Amino acid sequence: MIDGNSLLGTFALVRYSVANATLSVMVDGVGQRASIQVDQWPFISTTICTGSTCSWEQIRSAELLQEFLRGNNMTLQVSLQGDNMVGPLRMSLRGFAQQYQKALQVQQGR
């Protein structure tokens, strides 16, 4: 999923790795904290940020994955160094479950 705001020059790339069972987000800037909310469920945050990439530990990634599979929309916010913020960026989760199933099949060698 890619979303951005061309007027502000910011972008975000949200990635779920089937192989590593982890969720990460890459932003334009140095991340300090990233938060994702699916529909009206609570935000799930992480402070595991290295440079422009923030990632969630496997247990939190698994929680977010389940929410992605059930949900309709997600909201992403990332706090950057210097008190800057990316987001809130809202993205549809339409088609996520089908793409996830395809990725699982590829990972399992089918």
Side-chain angles (χ1 to χ4, degrees), residues 77-97:
Q77 296 185 141
V78 182
S79 298
L80 304 175
Q81 283 184 342
D83 292 329
N84 293 325
M85 176 77 79
V86 173
L89 298 175
R90 290 176 182 82
M91 297 175 233
S92 171
L93 292 170
R94 184 180 20 220
F96 178 83

Side-chain angles (χ1 to χ4, degrees), residues 63-81:
E63 288 175 28
L64 281 165
L65 172 62
Q66 291 307 308
E67 290 184 14
F68 285 1
L69 292 170
R70 294 187 314 241
N72 296 307
N73 298 290
M74 66 167 277
T75 302
L76 169 69
Q77 296 185 141
V78 182
S79 298
L80 304 175
Q81 283 184 342

Side-chain angles (χ1 to χ4, degrees), residues 13-63:
L13 171 64
V14 179
R15 184 185 127 188
Y16 182 81
S17 170
V18 173
N20 297 322
T22 56
L23 180 75
S24 61
V25 61
M26 183 178 9
V27 294
D28 185 17
V30 178
Q32 292 187 319
R33 178 184 178 92
S35 302
I36 291 179
Q37 178 185 40
V38 177
D39 295 333
Q40 298 304 313
W41 298 318
F43 276 94
I44 296 179
S45 301
T46 184
T47 57
I48 304 170
C49 298
T50 305
S52 62
T53 304
C54 296
S55 59
W56 284 258
E57 36 188 48
Q58 285 186 337
I59 192 159
R60 292 289 186 203
S61 292
E63 288 175 28

